[in-house]
Amino acid sequence: MSYLYLTVLFPLIGFVLLAAGRNKLPENVAAIIGVGSVGLSALFALIAGMGFVANGSVTQVQHLWTWFNVGGLAPGMSLHLDGLSLLMMGMVTGVGFLIHIFASWYMRGDEDFARFFSYFNLFVASMLLLVLGDNLALLFLGWEGVGLCSYLLIGYYYQKPENGYAAIKAFTVTRIGDVFLLIALFLLYQQFGTLHIGTIVANAPQVLAGDHSLAIWTSLMLFLGAAGKSAQIPLQTWLADAMAGPTPVSALIHAATMVTAGIYLCCRMFSVFEMTPEVMMFISITGAVTLIVAGFAALVQTDIKRILAYSTMSQLGYMFMAVGAEAYQAGLFHMLSHAFFKALLFLSSGAVILAYHHEQNIFKMGGLFKHNKFLFACFAIGGGALAAIPFLTIGFFSKDAILGAVWAQGQSVAVYNSLYWVGVAGAFLTSIYTFRLIWVVFFGKENTPYHEIKGATYWAPLGILAVLSTGLAYFLKAPVEAVLNSAKIPAFIIPEALEAGVHGAEYTAVGIALAGLVVGVILFAFAYKAVKAFAETSFGAGLVNICRNALGFDALYNIVFVKPYLLIAKILGRDPIDGLWLVLPAIVKGGHSFTSSRQTGSLREYASSMSLGVVVLLMILIVIQVVGK
């Protein structure tokens, strides 16, 4: 336990060294610092985890110092280790370490190599602070650190204006969610008198029972904060544009760190949410809508990374659907399996992009199978896990557990039964766009010359992630459930009377997912000309355009929020308040100019002016007298 702080400290030291050295550091030195610091973090996370298990999985807290003490609010810089934080810490450091190794190969030759790894290290440190903090103030510090690093990494290639725009968009949209989270923290402190997570979780059933409407607002603000980081409707628009960053950034953000923060927050604060069944249902509905919208969007994308980005959004929808159905452990296990296969897919896509000279359009690739069968195997395993191919991949065991739990919940609450079918439809779409991606890249017509890629730092991380994405990783399920039970994260108990029905629901989901795979084969392997012909019709082109733009959320937000904001900014840019106050000196200046112009030195003009003034004064007096009578 005494080593726990080192998991955060090493990436922070790496950040400081890399930020201070910047371009003065040789590439190899920067790579050793960047990769080595996260490797040491992963090592001490393993040591801390082994100690935690050896001590009987008893929750432990390492208090470092008191952060501040204001009006009785005294959050500590304290690290909290239980089953849930152990799972998150292992995922962040383990998968993060593999991504760092790959990045040391992928980013080789970049002129800002050290700057990239400094941001990467700070990102990992912030995420660890988020998941290990024992109070919501410390969690929020890590939350904001992750948001800052996402801005820096998405806009890493800042020379291109569109990359800067994508970074600003990600920062702005996630900040909206952060405002909701901050409101939730205020509400929680008002009701509990503390931001200590353990105290809030333990006392939520008693404290929140008194005012249900206040409990609803608190839960809703917490969820909206989570939705911003985890890209759920209506705060999902930033995620696809985040592909502007280097591919290892996409792997880190979309696999093991930032987007999982919202899932972690909801599971960590489960007792608060369970006091408001209405919000729980809303969470599941939001997840279901997000996964189906993202599925349709992924179906027609041409950028290899955007396809994977929308698939991330879709899989996060499944996780939130699980959280809303109280199947926390199923959602967390899918989060872990998703970290494995999505990191594999993103890193593999990075290798594909380099092999095709930084080309990202899948229709400008093609024929990769004959050149690189290792990458095909990685894509096939990762894609199979994404599509939940039964028994062979980890995705089957995690996704079907979610759908089974949602179906079981639907036997008592009808809404969840409908959500189950939405989830099944999402699985159908996932199979289609996954096959489309693999078929076009590996078996389509070769349109760009292939460039040979090699190196242990390229294939070793992919090989490890590929193994973890297969059905062999099912052995992790029991340990994950054990540590989550120790953290008192509720397991979803299926009534004995529903067990057969749940298995039937899972088999149905598998069957429909496999049917989607068959449809994908038919559409893209045998009837692709018909698909292209349909896409060229007016109706088909319109449908493709709607899906490619993810049902037009960006266009809607541009009209409703962005343009009015820019108009207001333009108006305020001219400073109308200062312009209003300048009226007074303008009047004084005008009066001075007028009176000065009358000083002519002519006695006749002065006498005429005085006479006119006397006449005007007499007329005013006469009017006053008349009105007075």
Side-chain angles (χ1 to χ4, degrees):
M1 182 61 188
S2 59
Y3 301 117
L4 187 61
Y5 73 97
L6 294 175
T7 61
V8 182
L9 182 61
F10 279 119
L12 279 177
I13 292 174
F15 161 71
V16 172
L17 293 176
L18 291 165
R22 295 293 287 268
N23 297 334
K24 297 177 183 178
L25 294 174
E27 273 192 356
N28 288 335
V29 174
I32 290 171
I33 295 173
V35 178
S37 61
V38 177
L40 288 171
S41 177
L43 175 62
F44 282 98
L46 177 62
I47 293 172
M50 292 172 64
F52 173 77
V53 174
N55 291 328
S57 300
V58 177
T59 299
Q60 302 169 40
V61 177
Q62 186 174 47
H63 179 74
L64 302 176
W65 66 84
T66 299
W67 185 5
F68 59 84
N69 191 338
V70 178
L73 176 61
M77 295 295 287
S78 305
L79 304 180
H80 172 274
L81 185 64
D82 66 357
L84 179 56
S85 56
L86 176 61
L87 173 67
M88 297 296 297
M89 178 177 66
M91 185 179 73
V92 170
T93 57
V95 178
F97 177 54
L98 295 175
I99 294 172
H100 272 69
I101 293 174
F102 183 90
S104 68
W105 169 80
Y106 185 88
M107 299 300 295
R108 188 70 63 173
D110 190 277
E111 60 181 12
D112 286 325
F113 191 83
R115 177 170 69 90
F116 172 83
F117 274 100
S118 69
Y119 297 161
F120 235 34
N121 279 191
L122 183 60
F123 198 114
V124 171
S126 299
M127 189 66 191
L128 288 170
L129 199 63
L130 189 160
V131 302
L132 292 174
D134 82 329
N135 61 80
L136 290 171
L138 193 56
L139 180 149
F140 191 73
L141 177 63
W143 191 276
E144 291 302 295
V146 168
L148 170 64
C149 292
S150 69
Y151 166 77
L152 295 172
L153 287 166
I154 293 168
Y156 175 75
Y157 296 123
Y158 59 86
Q159 297 87 348
K160 295 182 178 179
E162 59 270 23
N163 294 347
Y165 175 78
I168 292 170
K169 183 178 180 181
F171 190 79
T172 304
V173 175
T174 54
R175 287 296 74 70
I176 293 170
D178 295 353
V179 170
F180 289 124
L181 179 57
L182 197 57
I183 293 171
L185 265 57
F186 292 147
L187 292 173
L188 288 168
Y189 185 74
Q190 177 194 30
Q191 296 169 83
F192 291 86
T194 182
L195 291 178
H196 185 264
I197 294 173
T199 303
I200 293 173
V201 171
N203 296 310
Q206 294 78 33
V207 175
L208 296 178
D211 190 337
H212 188 64
S213 62
L214 188 58
I216 288 176
W217 280 109
T218 304
S219 298
L220 186 60
M221 294 298 106
L222 275 173
F223 169 63
L224 290 175
K229 276 288 186 289
S230 296
Q232 297 297 287
I233 287 175
L235 300 176
Q236 85 289 4
T237 56
W238 67 270
L239 188 137
D241 289 345
M243 296 302 97
T247 304
V249 173
S250 304
L252 193 64
I253 289 178
H254 294 169
T257 55
M258 181 169 165
V259 295
T260 63
I263 306 296
Y264 167 77
L265 177 65
C266 290
C267 292
R268 176 61 80 190
M269 305 300 293
F270 72 91
S271 64
V272 175
F273 287 103
E274 288 188 344
M275 296 303 297
T276 54
E278 306 93 329
V279 175
M280 295 285 281
M281 189 182 299
F282 178 69
I283 291 172
S284 283
I285 292 171
T286 302
V289 173
T290 302
L291 75 88
I292 204 74
V293 169
F296 278 114
L299 204 56
V300 296
Q301 300 299 316
T302 57
D303 185 303
I304 188 171
K305 289 171 65 178
R306 287 182 76 89
I307 295 171
L308 297 177
Y310 280 114
S311 76
T312 295
M313 194 187 302
S314 180
Q315 298 309 303
L316 289 166
Y318 280 106
M319 297 175 210
F320 275 106
M321 207 161 65
V323 168
E326 301 181 41
Y328 307 105
Q329 293 195 12
L332 288 167
F333 185 61
H334 190 57
M335 178 189 70
L336 179 65
S337 69
H338 177 263
F340 295 149
F341 68 72
K342 190 50 64 68
L344 173 63
L345 285 169
F346 266 115
L347 296 185
S348 298
S349 71
V352 170
I353 290 168
L354 285 189
Y356 282 115
H357 309 279
H358 296 279
E359 179 57 62
Q360 294 186 202
N361 188 327
I362 61 174
F363 291 100
K364 293 182 180 179
M365 299 176 181
L368 186 56
F369 177 77
K370 62 184 178 183
H371 297 297
N372 197 320
K373 292 180 174 55
F374 173 72
L375 272 182
F376 170 73
C378 291
F379 249 97
I381 293 171
L386 177 60
I389 299 300
F391 305 110
L392 299 177
T393 63
I394 186 63
F396 162 72
F397 297 104
S398 58
K399 186 187 289 186
D400 276 36
I402 291 174
L403 292 174
V406 172
W407 181 89
Q409 195 74 283
Q411 303 315 296
S412 55
V413 183
V415 171
Y416 289 97
N417 191 47
S418 300
L419 296 181
Y420 162 77
W421 289 107
V422 174
V424 170
F428 179 77
L429 293 175
T430 301
S431 295
I432 296 175
Y433 68 69
T434 302
F435 178 82
R436 170 181 177 262
L437 168 62
I438 295 174
W439 180 263
V440 172
V441 171
F442 290 92
F443 299 99
K445 180 183 177 182
E446 185 172 352
N447 295 304
T448 301
Y450 172 77
H451 169 70
E452 185 67 33
I453 53 175
K454 56 186 177 180
T457 50
Y458 136 67
W459 58 258
L462 296 183
I464 294 170
L465 289 169
V467 172
L468 291 172
S469 299
T470 65
L472 295 174
Y474 177 71
F475 72 88
L476 292 173
K477 188 172 184 180
V480 167
E481 289 177 350
V483 297
L484 292 178
N485 286 332
S486 71
K488 299 180 181 179
I489 302 296
F492 187 84
I493 306 300
I494 299 173
E496 188 175 343
L498 294 178
E499 285 185 359
V502 168
H503 291 315
E506 292 174 347
Y507 296 148
T508 300
V510 170
I512 293 178
L514 291 176
L517 195 61
V518 172
V519 170
V521 172
I522 294 171
L523 291 178
F524 300 105
F526 296 104
Y528 188 56
K529 289 183 179 179
V531 173
K532 287 181 68 176
F534 172 75
E536 290 171 358
T537 65
S538 56
F539 176 75
L543 193 61
V544 167
N545 187 56
I546 291 171
C547 291
R548 185 164 291 158
N549 291 287
L551 274 62
F553 277 92
D554 274 314
L556 175 64
Y557 291 171
N558 192 49
I559 294 170
V560 177
F561 298 114
V562 177
K563 287 186 176 180
Y565 173 82
L566 292 177
L567 177 62
I568 294 170
K570 186 176 181 180
I571 294 171
L572 295 180
R574 297 174 180 174
D575 216 338
I577 304 300
D578 273 3
L580 183 64
W581 281 108
L582 289 174
V583 170
L584 184 60
I587 292 172
V588 174
K589 184 178 180 181
H592 168 75
S593 298
F594 175 76
T595 53
S596 296
S597 67
R598 307 316 303 155
Q599 303 299 314
T600 62
S602 171
L603 184 61
R604 183 176 296 177
E605 286 189 15
Y606 292 160
S608 300
S609 298
M610 291 175 64
S611 301
L612 180 61
V614 170
V615 171
V616 171
L617 183 60
L618 288 173
M619 290 180 67
I620 291 171
L621 290 173
I622 292 170
V623 170
I624 292 173
Q625 288 293 326
V626 172
V627 172
K629 292 181 179 181

